[in-house]
Amino acid sequence: KAGVTQTPRYLIKTRGQQVTLSCSPISGHRSVSWYQQTPGQGLQFLFEYFSETQRNKGNFPGRFSGRQFSNSRSEMNVSTLELGDSALYLCASSLQGRAWEQYFGPGTRLTVT
Amino acid sequence: QKEVEQNSGPLSVPEGAIASLNCTYSDRGSQSFFWYRQYSGKSPELIMFIYSNGDKEDGRFTAQLNKASQYVSLLIRDSQPSDSATYLCAVMEGPGGYNKLIFGAGTRLAVHP
């Protein structure tokens, strides 16, 4: 069974631009969570989607948004990029009822210049 | 602010020794606790989860949970150089947390031959 895939793997953007990252969960997994990882703040929860609905949200500004499609694929969008948004963005998927078993994708490394 | 605290290390142990990694958490409502391993440049992978007080063993790994003290630990027996990685403690937010994991900053483990 294929793992969680994320595209693109690397991205360089300029301050003020916006970016969209994509995540395809493991087949059959309907829950997708997004995390930001930075050296200073560690891994921080962004939001979680299940059946196209956002069920939980972390403490990030409204510039960070996401959505989930009917096939469970998810995208996250960051608008008006800031230098501090440079990070590794990870998504994780899990089966309904097995929240303890989250599988992480390889991540998208975003660099904002 | 719900927090998970870990000593950042590095924790250096000789090959064959027991490595002991510790974690404390602030939210008494937390029910589920996780240990992830993250190799440099890779995404986190789940190695253990625990939700009952006491010990849980899986091969060379033992997770220990003490809810009264709000303390979780991971023991790695017969440590190998391949165990060298950053170990992330994570706590699932209390009822309604919906897959929201709160991570500690991670402890870097170095196993030397």
Side-chain angles (χ1 to χ4, degrees), chain B residues 18-95:
Chain B
I18 296 175
S20 177
L21 305 159
N22 305 312
C23 169
T24 58
Y25 60 94
S26 64
D27 182 10
R28 285 197 171 273
S30 299
Q31 300 291 317
S32 308
F33 308 87
F34 307 82
W35 284 99
Y36 282 81
R37 177 176 61 200
Q38 187 173 26
Y39 291 112
S40 182
K42 301 293 186 182
S43 55
E45 57 178 324
L46 179 66
I47 53 174
M48 291 283 290
F49 65 90
I50 186 169
Y51 23 79
S52 300
N53 270 332
D55 295 1
K56 179 181 178 182
E57 189 174 315
D58 184 0
R60 296 186 296 112
F61 299 96
T62 298
Q64 300 174 316
L65 173 60
N66 184 325
K67 288 187 178 179
S69 302
Q70 296 175 244
Y71 178 90
V72 194
S73 65
L74 179 70
L75 301 178
I76 306 174
R77 290 182 299 281
D78 188 24
S79 295
Q80 301 298 309
S82 60
D83 294 326
S84 298
T86 296
Y87 289 80
L88 301 164
C89 173
V91 174
M92 189 160 290
E93 198 173 67

Side-chain angles (χ1 to χ4, degrees), chain A residues 9 31 33 35 37 42-45 48 55-59 88 90 94 99-107, chain B residues 1 32 34 36 38 41-46 48-49 51 88 92-93 96-105:
Chain A
R9 293 292 312 278
S31 170
S33 300
Y35 294 85
Q37 187 171 33
L43 259 168
Q44 293 186 289
F45 176 84
E48 189 257 357
R55 295 197 297 189
N56 209 345
K57 191 176 190 306
N59 297 323
L88 179 67
L90 293 157
S94 63
W100 60 86
E101 206 166 8
Q102 294 194 35
Y103 294 88
F104 281 84
Chain B
Q1 177 78 354
S32 308
F34 307 82
Y36 282 81
Q38 187 173 26
K42 301 293 186 182
S43 55
E45 57 178 324
L46 179 66
M48 291 283 290
F49 65 90
Y51 23 79
L88 301 164
M92 189 160 290
E93 198 173 67
Y98 289 127
N99 297 6
K100 179 179 179 179
L101 291 174
I102 301 169
F103 283 87

Side-chain angles (χ1 to χ4, degrees), chain A residues 62-110:
Chain A
R63 300 185 296 107
F64 292 82
S65 62
R67 60 177 176 169
Q68 186 180 36
F69 302 95
S70 58
N71 62 357
S72 297
R73 189 177 70 86
S74 178
E75 290 181 345
M76 67 163 282
N77 185 77
V78 188
S79 62
T80 320
L81 284 166
E82 301 177 359
L83 295 178
D85 297 331
S86 295
L88 179 67
Y89 290 89
L90 293 157
C91 79
S93 74
S94 63
L95 282 166
Q96 171 64 358
R98 295 183 69 86
W100 60 86
E101 206 166 8
Q102 294 194 35
Y103 294 88
F104 281 84
T108 294
R109 172 74 62 186
L110 172 65

Side-chain angles (χ1 to χ4, degrees), chain A residues 36-51:
Chain A
Q36 181 196 65
Q37 187 171 33
T38 60
Q41 298 297 317
L43 259 168
Q44 293 186 289
F45 176 84
L46 280 156
F47 27 65
E48 189 257 357
Y49 285 88
F50 178 79
S51 289

Side-chain angles (χ1 to χ4, degrees), chain A residues 18-37:
Chain A
Q18 75 165 22
V19 67
T20 300
L21 312 180
S22 180
C23 172
S24 292
I26 293 171
S27 178
H29 287 195
R30 294 166 62 192
S31 170
V32 174
S33 300
W34 287 89
Y35 294 85
Q36 181 196 65
Q37 187 171 33

